[in-house]
Amino acid sequence: MDVTIVGCSGSFAGPDSPASSYLVRAEHEGRTWSVVLDLGNGALGALQRHVVPYEVDAVVLSHLHVDHCIDMCGLYVMTRYVPGGTGRGPLPTWGPPGTGVHLARAYGSGESQALLAAFDFHDLRDRECFAVGPFTITPMRVEHPVEAFGFRVEAGGRTLVYTGDTDSCPQLPDLMRGADLVLADSAFVDGRDTVPGIHLSGRRAAEAAVAAGGVGRLMLTHIPAWNDPEVCRAQAAEVWPGEVELAAPDATYPV
């Protein structure tokens, strides 16, 4: 399994990266399977450098803030209007309850039923796993102002964890435990950002990974353009015993 960082800018698209989106791929039964985790603003364009978006096997949305889901509206346009059609049925899509209605409202052009028909929507439920080809995906509720999930993605004996947007919460150690690679929200900076219940800092991400136990690699992501990534890394490094990695747009990492 590998993961490509389609977009890793926090809260809005930055000058060097779209907002949140991650492409996870694995070989299985003679072909490459692919799942997109989140599709924030700007991500659909960058995703096309790596895969034909409507040919992915599933999209999984952690929550319904714009920087994690709004390019689903563009994906709908691509899916519906591509010359010759996509040659496939509705794209399997998982998200919080109400995802389809939310996206149809966001699209806002009177095509609600067509958008709802373009995707096969499924509701995420806390700790209820589902399978997409070789991937077993387990969503876990996390701490954010709207209903939000982190994901354990398992394939071929390897585990990728994506926290989505979250502050410290009791679920994080369970989410991260034993993961080969953790992609951790690091939007906040200790000493500057004090509002609780929204985002992790680098330090809090590292604390959760250490508490989880067995985490192989810690990679910080969802860093807004107004942050200095090296400050986020340094704060995490005060806690994390190994190398603190920073997600880089368009980079692909083995898990």
mmCIF file of all heavy atoms in Angstrom, residues 132-180:
data_model
loop_
_atom_site.group_PDB
_atom_site.id
_atom_site.type_symbol
_atom_site.label_atom_id
_atom_site.label_comp_id
_atom_site.label_asym_id
_atom_site.label_seq_id
_atom_site.Cartn_x
_atom_site.Cartn_y
_atom_site.Cartn_z
ATOM 1 N N VAL A 132 -13.157 -2.051 0.752
ATOM 2 C CA VAL A 132 -13.070 -1.640 -0.648
ATOM 3 C C VAL A 132 -11.904 -2.416 -1.240
ATOM 4 O O VAL A 132 -10.735 -2.105 -0.962
ATOM 5 C CB VAL A 132 -12.842 -0.126 -0.798
ATOM 6 C CG1 VAL A 132 -12.732 0.244 -2.276
ATOM 7 C CG2 VAL A 132 -13.942 0.685 -0.121
ATOM 8 N N GLY A 133 -12.201 -3.448 -2.023
ATOM 9 C CA GLY A 133 -11.123 -4.275 -2.558
ATOM 10 C C GLY A 133 -10.239 -4.792 -1.445
ATOM 11 O O GLY A 133 -10.726 -5.423 -0.493
ATOM 12 N N PRO A 134 -8.921 -4.512 -1.502
ATOM 13 C CA PRO A 134 -8.006 -5.024 -0.474
ATOM 14 C C PRO A 134 -8.040 -4.213 0.814
ATOM 15 O O PRO A 134 -7.412 -4.610 1.804
ATOM 16 C CB PRO A 134 -6.640 -4.886 -1.142
ATOM 17 C CG PRO A 134 -6.794 -3.692 -2.034
ATOM 18 C CD PRO A 134 -8.208 -3.767 -2.557
ATOM 19 N N PHE A 135 -8.750 -3.089 0.833
ATOM 20 C CA PHE A 135 -8.698 -2.179 1.976
ATOM 21 C C PHE A 135 -9.821 -2.482 2.963
ATOM 22 O O PHE A 135 -10.986 -2.625 2.580
ATOM 23 C CB PHE A 135 -8.861 -0.722 1.522
ATOM 24 C CG PHE A 135 -7.850 -0.265 0.520
ATOM 25 C CD1 PHE A 135 -8.210 -0.063 -0.801
ATOM 26 C CD2 PHE A 135 -6.531 -0.031 0.888
ATOM 27 C CE1 PHE A 135 -7.288 0.369 -1.738
ATOM 28 C CE2 PHE A 135 -5.599 0.394 -0.043
ATOM 29 C CZ PHE A 135 -5.980 0.595 -1.361
ATOM 30 N N THR A 136 -9.446 -2.534 4.229
ATOM 31 C CA THR A 136 -10.423 -2.509 5.307
ATOM 32 C C THR A 136 -10.293 -1.153 5.984
ATOM 33 O O THR A 136 -9.210 -0.790 6.449
ATOM 34 C CB THR A 136 -10.181 -3.628 6.325
ATOM 35 O OG1 THR A 136 -10.317 -4.896 5.669
ATOM 36 C CG2 THR A 136 -11.186 -3.553 7.471
ATOM 37 N N ILE A 137 -11.378 -0.408 6.010
ATOM 38 C CA ILE A 137 -11.363 0.967 6.515
ATOM 39 C C ILE A 137 -12.241 1.043 7.754
ATOM 40 O O ILE A 137 -13.425 0.677 7.709
ATOM 41 C CB ILE A 137 -11.846 1.949 5.436
ATOM 42 C CG1 ILE A 137 -10.958 1.829 4.185
ATOM 43 C CG2 ILE A 137 -11.839 3.384 5.977
ATOM 44 C CD1 ILE A 137 -11.451 2.628 3.000
ATOM 45 N N THR A 138 -11.659 1.522 8.842
ATOM 46 C CA THR A 138 -12.393 1.666 10.098
ATOM 47 C C THR A 138 -12.470 3.136 10.460
ATOM 48 O O THR A 138 -11.437 3.763 10.748
ATOM 49 C CB THR A 138 -11.719 0.888 11.233
ATOM 50 O OG1 THR A 138 -11.573 -0.484 10.856
ATOM 51 C CG2 THR A 138 -12.555 0.974 12.513
ATOM 52 N N PRO A 139 -13.664 3.727 10.448
ATOM 53 C CA PRO A 139 -13.806 5.124 10.868
ATOM 54 C C PRO A 139 -13.942 5.211 12.388
ATOM 55 O O PRO A 139 -14.546 4.336 13.015
ATOM 56 C CB PRO A 139 -15.104 5.564 10.175
ATOM 57 C CG PRO A 139 -15.905 4.315 10.032
ATOM 58 C CD PRO A 139 -14.943 3.169 9.948
ATOM 59 N N MET A 140 -13.382 6.244 12.970
ATOM 60 C CA MET A 140 -13.539 6.513 14.394
ATOM 61 C C MET A 140 -13.882 7.976 14.583
ATOM 62 O O MET A 140 -13.219 8.859 14.021
ATOM 63 C CB MET A 140 -12.271 6.164 15.175
ATOM 64 C CG MET A 140 -11.957 4.692 15.224
ATOM 65 S SD MET A 140 -10.635 4.321 16.415
ATOM 66 C CE MET A 140 -10.345 2.587 16.044
ATOM 67 N N ARG A 141 -14.899 8.253 15.379
ATOM 68 C CA ARG A 141 -15.282 9.625 15.680
ATOM 69 C C ARG A 141 -14.142 10.337 16.396
ATOM 70 O O ARG A 141 -13.501 9.777 17.294
ATOM 71 C CB ARG A 141 -16.523 9.650 16.573
ATOM 72 C CG ARG A 141 -17.833 9.397 15.862
ATOM 73 C CD ARG A 141 -18.262 10.538 14.957
ATOM 74 N NE ARG A 141 -18.408 11.800 15.652
ATOM 75 C CZ ARG A 141 -19.533 12.228 16.199
ATOM 76 N NH1 ARG A 141 -20.630 11.484 16.141
ATOM 77 N NH2 ARG A 141 -19.577 13.393 16.800
ATOM 78 N N VAL A 142 -13.901 11.569 16.005
ATOM 79 C CA VAL A 142 -12.857 12.380 16.616
ATOM 80 C C VAL A 142 -13.453 13.707 17.067
ATOM 81 O O VAL A 142 -14.655 13.948 16.927
ATOM 82 C CB VAL A 142 -11.657 12.570 15.664
ATOM 83 C CG1 VAL A 142 -10.908 11.249 15.470
ATOM 84 C CG2 VAL A 142 -12.100 13.132 14.314
ATOM 85 N N GLU A 143 -12.614 14.579 17.600
ATOM 86 C CA GLU A 143 -13.073 15.815 18.245
ATOM 87 C C GLU A 143 -12.919 17.005 17.312
ATOM 88 O O GLU A 143 -11.806 17.470 17.041
ATOM 89 C CB GLU A 143 -12.261 16.051 19.521
ATOM 90 C CG GLU A 143 -12.698 17.240 20.337
ATOM 91 C CD GLU A 143 -14.045 17.069 21.007
ATOM 92 O OE1 GLU A 143 -14.474 15.908 21.196
ATOM 93 O OE2 GLU A 143 -14.666 18.080 21.349
ATOM 94 N N HIS A 144 -14.069 17.507 16.824
ATOM 95 C CA HIS A 144 -14.082 18.626 15.888
ATOM 96 C C HIS A 144 -15.455 19.286 16.011
ATOM 97 O O HIS A 144 -16.393 18.653 16.512
ATOM 98 C CB HIS A 144 -13.835 18.111 14.461
ATOM 99 C CG HIS A 144 -13.326 19.139 13.503
ATOM 100 N ND1 HIS A 144 -12.222 19.926 13.761
ATOM 101 C CD2 HIS A 144 -13.768 19.517 12.261
ATOM 102 C CE1 HIS A 144 -12.014 20.734 12.729
ATOM 103 N NE2 HIS A 144 -12.939 20.506 11.817
ATOM 104 N N PRO A 145 -15.623 20.530 15.592
ATOM 105 C CA PRO A 145 -16.924 21.185 15.783
ATOM 106 C C PRO A 145 -18.087 20.554 15.016
ATOM 107 O O PRO A 145 -19.242 20.812 15.342
ATOM 108 C CB PRO A 145 -16.661 22.616 15.308
ATOM 109 C CG PRO A 145 -15.207 22.817 15.525
ATOM 110 C CD PRO A 145 -14.592 21.495 15.201
ATOM 111 N N VAL A 146 -17.822 19.792 13.967
ATOM 112 C CA VAL A 146 -18.863 19.050 13.262
ATOM 113 C C VAL A 146 -18.550 17.566 13.377
ATOM 114 O O VAL A 146 -17.462 17.182 13.812
ATOM 115 C CB VAL A 146 -18.933 19.458 11.775
ATOM 116 C CG1 VAL A 146 -19.258 20.928 11.640
ATOM 117 C CG2 VAL A 146 -17.629 19.131 11.047
ATOM 118 N N GLU A 147 -19.516 16.723 13.015
ATOM 119 C CA GLU A 147 -19.263 15.285 13.065
ATOM 120 C C GLU A 147 -18.079 14.960 12.149
ATOM 121 O O GLU A 147 -18.093 15.272 10.955
ATOM 122 C CB GLU A 147 -20.499 14.512 12.618
ATOM 123 C CG GLU A 147 -20.355 13.017 12.771
ATOM 124 C CD GLU A 147 -21.648 12.256 12.523
ATOM 125 O OE1 GLU A 147 -22.601 12.873 11.985
ATOM 126 O OE2 GLU A 147 -21.710 11.057 12.865
ATOM 127 N N ALA A 148 -17.066 14.343 12.716
ATOM 128 C CA ALA A 148 -15.822 14.114 11.991
ATOM 129 C C ALA A 148 -15.236 12.770 12.377
ATOM 130 O O ALA A 148 -15.411 12.295 13.507
ATOM 131 C CB ALA A 148 -14.814 15.229 12.269
ATOM 132 N N PHE A 149 -14.503 12.185 11.431
ATOM 133 C CA PHE A 149 -13.942 10.855 11.617
ATOM 134 C C PHE A 149 -12.468 10.838 11.225
ATOM 135 O O PHE A 149 -12.051 11.529 10.291
ATOM 136 C CB PHE A 149 -14.681 9.845 10.737
ATOM 137 C CG PHE A 149 -16.120 9.640 11.106
ATOM 138 C CD1 PHE A 149 -17.105 10.485 10.603
ATOM 139 C CD2 PHE A 149 -16.494 8.619 11.966
ATOM 140 C CE1 PHE A 149 -18.439 10.317 10.940
ATOM 141 C CE2 PHE A 149 -17.826 8.435 12.311
ATOM 142 C CZ PHE A 149 -18.803 9.283 11.802
ATOM 143 N N GLY A 150 -11.709 10.040 11.941
ATOM 144 C CA GLY A 150 -10.400 9.609 11.484
ATOM 145 C C GLY A 150 -10.536 8.202 10.932
ATOM 146 O O GLY A 150 -11.540 7.515 11.175
ATOM 147 N N PHE A 151 -9.528 7.738 10.181
ATOM 148 C CA PHE A 151 -9.628 6.440 9.519
ATOM 149 C C PHE A 151 -8.384 5.586 9.752
ATOM 150 O O PHE A 151 -7.253 6.079 9.658
ATOM 151 C CB PHE A 151 -9.795 6.628 8.008
ATOM 152 C CG PHE A 151 -10.998 7.435 7.625
ATOM 153 C CD1 PHE A 151 -10.843 8.667 6.999
ATOM 154 C CD2 PHE A 151 -12.275 6.979 7.889
ATOM 155 C CE1 PHE A 151 -11.949 9.417 6.642
ATOM 156 C CE2 PHE A 151 -13.383 7.736 7.541
ATOM 157 C CZ PHE A 151 -13.219 8.954 6.920
ATOM 158 N N ARG A 152 -8.622 4.307 10.033
ATOM 159 C CA ARG A 152 -7.595 3.275 9.919
ATOM 160 C C ARG A 152 -7.811 2.565 8.588
ATOM 161 O O ARG A 152 -8.903 2.047 8.330
ATOM 162 C CB ARG A 152 -7.692 2.252 11.051
ATOM 163 C CG ARG A 152 -7.277 2.776 12.409
ATOM 164 C CD ARG A 152 -7.413 1.687 13.481
ATOM 165 N NE ARG A 152 -6.516 0.567 13.254
ATOM 166 C CZ ARG A 152 -5.261 0.491 13.727
ATOM 167 N NH1 ARG A 152 -4.774 1.499 14.447
ATOM 168 N NH2 ARG A 152 -4.511 -0.562 13.482
ATOM 169 N N VAL A 153 -6.795 2.573 7.740
ATOM 170 C CA VAL A 153 -6.872 1.913 6.437
ATOM 171 C C VAL A 153 -5.862 0.770 6.454
ATOM 172 O O VAL A 153 -4.651 1.006 6.572
ATOM 173 C CB VAL A 153 -6.560 2.899 5.294
ATOM 174 C CG1 VAL A 153 -6.708 2.208 3.946
ATOM 175 C CG2 VAL A 153 -7.477 4.124 5.370
ATOM 176 N N GLU A 154 -6.367 -0.444 6.329
ATOM 177 C CA GLU A 154 -5.503 -1.634 6.429
ATOM 178 C C GLU A 154 -5.538 -2.426 5.131
ATOM 179 O O GLU A 154 -6.603 -2.619 4.539
ATOM 180 C CB GLU A 154 -5.971 -2.505 7.593
ATOM 181 C CG GLU A 154 -5.893 -1.784 8.943
ATOM 182 C CD GLU A 154 -6.543 -2.547 10.071
ATOM 183 O OE1 GLU A 154 -5.860 -3.372 10.696
ATOM 184 O OE2 GLU A 154 -7.747 -2.319 10.307
ATOM 185 N N ALA A 155 -4.362 -2.864 4.703
ATOM 186 C CA ALA A 155 -4.252 -3.692 3.498
ATOM 187 C C ALA A 155 -2.910 -4.412 3.535
ATOM 188 O O ALA A 155 -1.881 -3.799 3.866
ATOM 189 C CB ALA A 155 -4.375 -2.861 2.227
ATOM 190 N N GLY A 156 -2.908 -5.680 3.197
ATOM 191 C CA GLY A 156 -1.671 -6.435 3.099
ATOM 192 C C GLY A 156 -0.848 -6.436 4.368
ATOM 193 O O GLY A 156 0.393 -6.463 4.305
ATOM 194 N N GLY A 157 -1.504 -6.404 5.511
ATOM 195 C CA GLY A 157 -0.795 -6.432 6.781
ATOM 196 C C GLY A 157 -0.196 -5.098 7.195
ATOM 197 O O GLY A 157 0.550 -5.037 8.185
ATOM 198 N N ARG A 158 -0.497 -4.027 6.485
ATOM 199 C CA ARG A 158 0.006 -2.698 6.810
ATOM 200 C C ARG A 158 -1.158 -1.787 7.186
ATOM 201 O O ARG A 158 -2.298 -2.002 6.744
ATOM 202 C CB ARG A 158 0.771 -2.084 5.636
ATOM 203 C CG ARG A 158 1.862 -2.971 5.064
ATOM 204 C CD ARG A 158 3.017 -3.149 6.032
ATOM 205 N NE ARG A 158 3.836 -1.941 6.122
ATOM 206 C CZ ARG A 158 4.900 -1.827 6.909
ATOM 207 N NH1 ARG A 158 5.255 -2.826 7.709
ATOM 208 N NH2 ARG A 158 5.601 -0.706 6.917
ATOM 209 N N THR A 159 -0.865 -0.757 7.992
ATOM 210 C CA THR A 159 -1.918 0.131 8.474
ATOM 211 C C THR A 159 -1.519 1.584 8.306
ATOM 212 O O THR A 159 -0.472 2.022 8.794
ATOM 213 C CB THR A 159 -2.225 -0.129 9.957
ATOM 214 O OG1 THR A 159 -2.632 -1.493 10.127
ATOM 215 C CG2 THR A 159 -3.347 0.783 10.449
ATOM 216 N N LEU A 160 -2.374 2.326 7.596
ATOM 217 C CA LEU A 160 -2.272 3.774 7.482
ATOM 218 C C LEU A 160 -3.357 4.387 8.342
ATOM 219 O O LEU A 160 -4.513 3.945 8.310
ATOM 220 C CB LEU A 160 -2.475 4.202 6.024
ATOM 221 C CG LEU A 160 -2.676 5.702 5.764
ATOM 222 C CD1 LEU A 160 -1.373 6.469 5.970
ATOM 223 C CD2 LEU A 160 -3.226 5.926 4.355
ATOM 224 N N VAL A 161 -3.009 5.408 9.120
ATOM 225 C CA VAL A 161 -3.999 6.153 9.893
ATOM 226 C C VAL A 161 -4.006 7.600 9.416
ATOM 227 O O VAL A 161 -2.950 8.221 9.259
ATOM 228 C CB VAL A 161 -3.706 6.085 11.403
ATOM 229 C CG1 VAL A 161 -4.494 7.145 12.169
ATOM 230 C CG2 VAL A 161 -4.045 4.705 11.934
ATOM 231 N N TYR A 162 -5.205 8.104 9.200
ATOM 232 C CA TYR A 162 -5.425 9.502 8.857
ATOM 233 C C TYR A 162 -6.362 10.068 9.917
ATOM 234 O O TYR A 162 -7.489 9.595 10.063
ATOM 235 C CB TYR A 162 -6.032 9.597 7.461
ATOM 236 C CG TYR A 162 -6.575 10.944 7.071
ATOM 237 C CD1 TYR A 162 -5.811 12.106 7.239
ATOM 238 C CD2 TYR A 162 -7.842 11.077 6.506
ATOM 239 C CE1 TYR A 162 -6.313 13.342 6.868
ATOM 240 C CE2 TYR A 162 -8.338 12.304 6.119
ATOM 241 C CZ TYR A 162 -7.575 13.437 6.307
ATOM 242 O OH TYR A 162 -8.074 14.667 5.946
ATOM 243 N N THR A 163 -5.887 11.066 10.645
ATOM 244 C CA THR A 163 -6.692 11.572 11.759
ATOM 245 C C THR A 163 -7.854 12.436 11.315
ATOM 246 O O THR A 163 -8.783 12.658 12.100
ATOM 247 C CB THR A 163 -5.847 12.407 12.733
ATOM 248 O OG1 THR A 163 -5.415 13.617 12.088
ATOM 249 C CG2 THR A 163 -4.653 11.621 13.247
ATOM 250 N N GLY A 164 -7.834 12.938 10.050
ATOM 251 C CA GLY A 164 -8.767 13.993 9.715
ATOM 252 C C GLY A 164 -8.503 15.192 10.610
ATOM 253 O O GLY A 164 -7.382 15.388 11.091
ATOM 254 N N ASP A 165 -9.525 15.993 10.838
ATOM 255 C CA ASP A 165 -9.375 17.166 11.710
ATOM 256 C C ASP A 165 -9.844 16.811 13.107
ATOM 257 O O ASP A 165 -10.995 16.382 13.293
ATOM 258 C CB ASP A 165 -10.216 18.328 11.185
ATOM 259 C CG ASP A 165 -9.625 18.980 9.961
ATOM 260 O OD1 ASP A 165 -8.633 18.446 9.429
ATOM 261 O OD2 ASP A 165 -10.167 20.024 9.529
ATOM 262 N N THR A 166 -8.999 17.017 14.094
ATOM 263 C CA THR A 166 -9.354 16.654 15.452
ATOM 264 C C THR A 166 -8.453 17.352 16.447
ATOM 265 O O THR A 166 -7.308 17.679 16.138
ATOM 266 C CB THR A 166 -9.261 15.135 15.671
ATOM 267 O OG1 THR A 166 -9.682 14.803 17.000
ATOM 268 C CG2 THR A 166 -7.837 14.621 15.470
ATOM 269 N N ASP A 167 -8.980 17.551 17.638
ATOM 270 C CA ASP A 167 -8.155 17.906 18.788
ATOM 271 C C ASP A 167 -7.854 16.610 19.541
ATOM 272 O O ASP A 167 -8.324 15.523 19.165
ATOM 273 C CB ASP A 167 -8.891 18.910 19.673
ATOM 274 C CG ASP A 167 -7.952 19.661 20.624
ATOM 275 O OD1 ASP A 167 -6.752 19.308 20.708
ATOM 276 O OD2 ASP A 167 -8.429 20.606 21.282
ATOM 277 N N SER A 168 -7.090 16.712 20.605
ATOM 278 C CA SER A 168 -6.840 15.556 21.454
ATOM 279 C C SER A 168 -8.172 15.001 21.961
ATOM 280 O O SER A 168 -9.077 15.759 22.316
ATOM 281 C CB SER A 168 -5.975 15.951 22.654
ATOM 282 O OG SER A 168 -4.732 16.450 22.231
ATOM 283 N N CYS A 169 -8.299 13.687 21.964
ATOM 284 C CA CYS A 169 -9.516 13.050 22.454
ATOM 285 C C CYS A 169 -9.179 11.600 22.815
ATOM 286 O O CYS A 169 -8.171 11.057 22.356
ATOM 287 C CB CYS A 169 -10.637 13.123 21.429
ATOM 288 S SG CYS A 169 -10.285 12.337 19.846
ATOM 289 N N PRO A 170 -10.009 10.956 23.630
ATOM 290 C CA PRO A 170 -9.702 9.590 24.076
ATOM 291 C C PRO A 170 -9.609 8.572 22.946
ATOM 292 O O PRO A 170 -8.977 7.527 23.105
ATOM 293 C CB PRO A 170 -10.880 9.264 25.015
ATOM 294 C CG PRO A 170 -11.388 10.582 25.478
ATOM 295 C CD PRO A 170 -11.198 11.512 24.319
ATOM 296 N N GLN A 171 -10.234 8.868 21.789
ATOM 297 C CA GLN A 171 -10.236 7.903 20.693
ATOM 298 C C GLN A 171 -8.909 7.845 19.950
ATOM 299 O O GLN A 171 -8.626 6.870 19.260
ATOM 300 C CB GLN A 171 -11.338 8.254 19.685
ATOM 301 C CG GLN A 171 -12.747 8.285 20.255
ATOM 302 C CD GLN A 171 -13.144 9.662 20.760
ATOM 303 O OE1 GLN A 171 -12.499 10.199 21.655
ATOM 304 N NE2 GLN A 171 -14.185 10.235 20.183
ATOM 305 N N LEU A 172 -8.096 8.897 20.045
ATOM 306 C CA LEU A 172 -6.894 8.956 19.205
ATOM 307 C C LEU A 172 -5.926 7.792 19.432
ATOM 308 O O LEU A 172 -5.403 7.241 18.458
ATOM 309 C CB LEU A 172 -6.177 10.294 19.379
ATOM 310 C CG LEU A 172 -6.760 11.482 18.608
ATOM 311 C CD1 LEU A 172 -5.882 12.710 18.806
ATOM 312 C CD2 LEU A 172 -6.892 11.176 17.122
ATOM 313 N N PRO A 173 -5.633 7.402 20.669
ATOM 314 C CA PRO A 173 -4.735 6.253 20.819
ATOM 315 C C PRO A 173 -5.273 4.989 20.151
ATOM 316 O O PRO A 173 -4.507 4.240 19.533
ATOM 317 C CB PRO A 173 -4.620 6.106 22.339
ATOM 318 C CG PRO A 173 -4.833 7.495 22.860
ATOM 319 C CD PRO A 173 -5.891 8.068 21.961
ATOM 320 N N ASP A 174 -6.584 4.731 20.261
ATOM 321 C CA ASP A 174 -7.154 3.569 19.581
ATOM 322 C C ASP A 174 -7.025 3.706 18.072
ATOM 323 O O ASP A 174 -6.749 2.732 17.365
ATOM 324 C CB ASP A 174 -8.631 3.408 19.938
ATOM 325 C CG ASP A 174 -8.845 2.843 21.330
ATOM 326 O OD1 ASP A 174 -7.872 2.357 21.931
ATOM 327 O OD2 ASP A 174 -9.987 2.890 21.812
ATOM 328 N N LEU A 175 -7.253 4.909 17.562
ATOM 329 C CA LEU A 175 -7.139 5.144 16.129
ATOM 330 C C LEU A 175 -5.725 4.877 15.631
ATOM 331 O O LEU A 175 -5.523 4.226 14.600
ATOM 332 C CB LEU A 175 -7.544 6.587 15.817
ATOM 333 C CG LEU A 175 -7.452 7.046 14.365
ATOM 334 C CD1 LEU A 175 -8.473 6.319 13.505
ATOM 335 C CD2 LEU A 175 -7.643 8.562 14.265
ATOM 336 N N MET A 176 -4.735 5.345 16.374
ATOM 337 C CA MET A 176 -3.349 5.299 15.919
ATOM 338 C C MET A 176 -2.619 4.006 16.273
ATOM 339 O O MET A 176 -1.571 3.712 15.676
ATOM 340 C CB MET A 176 -2.575 6.463 16.542
ATOM 341 C CG MET A 176 -3.003 7.833 16.106
ATOM 342 S SD MET A 176 -1.935 9.080 16.910
ATOM 343 C CE MET A 176 -2.578 10.601 16.228
ATOM 344 N N ARG A 177 -3.115 3.240 17.211
ATOM 345 C CA ARG A 177 -2.335 2.136 17.791
ATOM 346 C C ARG A 177 -1.781 1.194 16.727
ATOM 347 O O ARG A 177 -2.495 0.653 15.894
ATOM 348 C CB ARG A 177 -3.196 1.359 18.786
ATOM 349 C CG ARG A 177 -2.432 0.288 19.568
ATOM 350 C CD ARG A 177 -3.215 -0.175 20.771
ATOM 351 N NE ARG A 177 -3.334 0.929 21.745
ATOM 352 C CZ ARG A 177 -4.483 1.445 22.149
ATOM 353 N NH1 ARG A 177 -5.618 0.971 21.671
ATOM 354 N NH2 ARG A 177 -4.500 2.423 23.037
ATOM 355 N N GLY A 178 -0.456 1.003 16.767
ATOM 356 C CA GLY A 178 0.206 0.039 15.904
ATOM 357 C C GLY A 178 0.286 0.425 14.439
ATOM 358 O O GLY A 178 0.678 -0.400 13.609
ATOM 359 N N ALA A 179 -0.049 1.659 14.093
ATOM 360 C CA ALA A 179 -0.046 2.066 12.686
ATOM 361 C C ALA A 179 1.370 2.156 12.139
ATOM 362 O O ALA A 179 2.299 2.589 12.832
ATOM 363 C CB ALA A 179 -0.741 3.415 12.524
ATOM 364 N N ASP A 180 1.540 1.770 10.891
ATOM 365 C CA ASP A 180 2.843 1.914 10.237
ATOM 366 C C ASP A 180 3.126 3.369 9.898
ATOM 367 O O ASP A 180 4.275 3.817 9.954
ATOM 368 C CB ASP A 180 2.880 1.054 8.977
ATOM 369 C CG ASP A 180 2.747 -0.424 9.304
ATOM 370 O OD1 ASP A 180 3.734 -1.007 9.787
ATOM 371 O OD2 ASP A 180 1.652 -0.976 9.110
#
